[in-house]
Amino acid sequence: MNSGKKILVTGGAGYIGSHTVVSLIENGYTPVIVDDFRNAQSSVIEQLEAITNQKIKLHRVDCCDSQAMNTVFEAEKPNGVIHFAAYKAVNESVEKPLEYYKNNLQSLLVVLELYQKHKVQSLVFSSSCTVYGEPKGKIEVDESFPIEKAFSPYGQTKIICEQIIQDFHHSQPDSKIISLRYFNPVGAHASALIGEYPIGKPNNLLPYITQTAIGKLKQLTVFGNDYATSDGTCVRDYIHVCDLADAHVQAISFLEKETNGVLEAVNIGTGKGTSVQEIIETFETETGVSLNYTIGPRRAGDVEAIYANTSKSEKILQWKAKRSLKDSVCSAWNWEKNIKKNGY
Ligand code: WQD
């Protein structure tokens, strides 16, 4: 057991954060959420309490507010921090680059300052496979793959944040930090009480599919089917959000066991590439719902194909994705139906 060690979860009311809160509790930790709900569903705390049958502590704070955050760290004296709080919509970042740089960089700087000031044991940072940009030629990427200029300001903020973390660790060699580079998070908790809750029209594929299937949206547009892939549509590594949540718990546990300082970056994916067409076919087969979609032009900034080499996550985190694409698609659909039923 982890004797209820306290873990601060910034952005813990969000999609990946809320699922990680459940996984932390299931593994004996005590998560404390820090979130200002700018990109989170208001009812998520009561839904988390229903799933875990525990009171969930919340600080409604902007992570860029260093004074307010210092008060939280003083009050909670956390053993670890998982830093999710950031903006993450690729195309929105192209329209609002300054907001993305300001929010994503400032929130990390505040967390690192307080990590040091309050002698926190471990820090897990939410990074992304977008740091790899367009992996020319080799589409299965491992962590040694060159970090190039990202395809969007969002991806660039992740590259810069990882650089900030490297420089911080160099100045504080005893610090214990791991950056998790997510591939494409999808799906929802089996209870269908929490899941991806896009504010406005979804950017990502699976929520767009489920909102089309339930009638909220008219038609899905597949952004291009003329890529050099098996069926012409883009390939991604779709990982169930609950597997991703478990990876964060394994990362905290890994850092706790490290006696000296450590800095790692680790891919979190399934190691399998799936095309847009395959996702659509899986959705239709598993749900029995025929999807209204059309083929449209390519979307600017899309990478043709990428998926994770998972050997490092298996080796140092003793973690491997367990859930299937079918689990992801069915759980996302159950969540969408629950949103409609309960009017979330
Ligand atoms: C997937 C595929 C689209 C919508 C995401 C996150 C990003 C990062 C990486 C965490 C692409 C196609 C999509 C639609 C479509 N995650 N698509 N029609 O772009 O890989 O990036 O994962 O950091 O934050 O945004 O995910 O779901 O937007 O697109 O055809 O209406 O689906 O072209 O090929 P993406 P996505």
Side-chain angles (χ1 to χ4, degrees):
M1 281 301 272
N2 299 296
S3 62
K5 279 183 183 155
K6 198 177 279 186
I7 307 293
L8 226 49
V9 185
T10 74
Y15 175 38
I16 304 167
S18 56
H19 288 81
T20 301
V21 163
V22 173
S23 193
L24 284 166
I25 289 172
E26 285 171 349
N27 287 276
Y29 290 95
T30 303
V32 174
I33 292 178
V34 182
D35 204 310
D36 63 6
F37 283 77
R38 68 178 72 181
N39 192 21
Q41 193 188 6
S42 52
S43 58
V44 72
I45 301 296
E46 66 190 81
Q47 279 143 242
L48 282 172
E49 291 179 340
I51 293 170
T52 61
N53 197 22
Q54 282 197 19
K55 285 301 282 173
I56 307 274
K57 200 162 182 193
L58 163 70
H59 293 274
R60 202 177 275 265
V61 162
D62 173 355
C63 290
C64 293
D65 179 343
S66 52
Q67 270 193 317
M69 286 290 279
N70 184 54
T71 305
V72 172
F73 274 73
E74 255 165 13
E76 301 296 347
K77 296 185 178 26
N79 181 275
V81 180
I82 302 178
H83 181 46
F84 289 107
Y87 293 143
K88 64 113 194 159
V90 171
N91 47 355
E92 185 189 50
S93 75
V94 177
E95 292 146 31
K96 304 174 182 171
L98 298 186
E99 280 183 44
Y100 269 67
Y101 282 111
K102 191 168 170 214
N103 183 56
N104 292 7
L105 303 190
Q106 172 65 9
S107 57
L108 175 66
L109 291 169
V110 167
V111 166
L112 286 173
E113 280 171 354
L114 297 174
Y115 166 92
Q116 183 180 353
K117 179 179 177 184
H118 294 275
K119 297 181 175 35
V120 179
Q121 277 304 303
S122 43
L123 170 62
V124 178
F125 173 66
S126 166
S127 190
S128 163
C129 65
T130 40
V131 302
Y132 297 116
E134 171 91 75
K136 289 187 188 59
K138 195 171 173 299
I139 60 174
E140 181 195 58
V141 293
D142 67 27
E143 292 80 356
S144 67
F145 204 80
I147 303 294
E148 305 203 339
K149 185 172 174 348
F151 261 52
S152 67
Y154 160 73
Q156 203 55 30
T157 66
K158 293 299 181 183
I159 290 179
I160 297 168
C161 282
E162 286 201 24
Q163 186 59 58
I164 290 170
I165 289 169
Q166 275 176 33
D167 294 342
F168 172 80
H169 179 72
H170 183 70
S171 71
Q172 307 291 325
D174 292 344
S175 57
K176 301 198 285 185
I177 307 175
I178 191 165
S179 291
L180 299 183
R181 293 174 180 164
Y182 313 155
F183 282 69
N184 286 52
V186 285
H189 189 262
S191 65
L193 289 175
I194 55 173
E196 190 166 6
Y197 194 77
I199 311 282
K201 210 176 211 184
N203 292 299
N204 294 134
L205 178 64
L206 195 48
Y208 208 106
I209 287 175
T210 56
Q211 288 195 19
T212 302
I214 205 131
K216 255 188 196 168
L217 296 170
K218 240 168 82 29
Q219 183 180 60
L220 167 77
T221 300
V222 173
F223 297 136
N225 67 348
D226 57 351
Y227 288 96
T229 61
S230 57
D231 57 26
T233 63
C234 291
V235 170
R236 295 288 185 277
D237 184 333
Y238 294 97
I239 173 160
H240 195 293
V241 66
C242 293
D243 280 334
L244 180 56
D246 293 343
H248 286 79
V249 177
Q250 292 301 104
I252 285 282
S253 168
F254 162 75
L255 292 176
E256 280 171 351
K257 293 186 189 102
E258 287 294 311
T259 46
N260 303 317
V262 62
L263 175 61
E264 293 288 358
V266 182
N267 287 343
I268 301 297
T270 64
K272 186 179 173 307
T274 303
S275 74
V276 175
Q277 191 61 44
E278 285 167 331
I279 292 270
I280 293 170
E281 286 161 5
T282 305
F283 180 82
E284 292 186 318
T285 306
E286 297 307 328
T287 63
V289 175
S290 165
L291 192 70
N292 178 10
Y293 70 95
T294 183
I295 306 294
R298 293 183 175 191
R299 178 174 70 174
D302 270 340
V303 160
E304 176 171 87
I306 187 169
Y307 61 89
N309 177 301
T310 59
S311 44
K312 189 172 180 183
S313 58
E314 291 167 28
K315 182 163 170 278
I316 74 166
L317 300 185
Q318 280 87 51
W319 171 90
K320 193 171 167 55
K322 295 185 302 230
R323 295 163 179 90
S324 66
L325 187 66
K326 176 184 164 186
D327 296 331
S328 296
V329 160
C330 292
S331 61
W333 182 230
N334 291 336
W335 164 239
E336 190 68 63
K337 288 187 288 185
N338 212 23
I339 291 173
K340 182 173 184 180
K341 186 167 126 247
N342 295 315
Y344 288 147

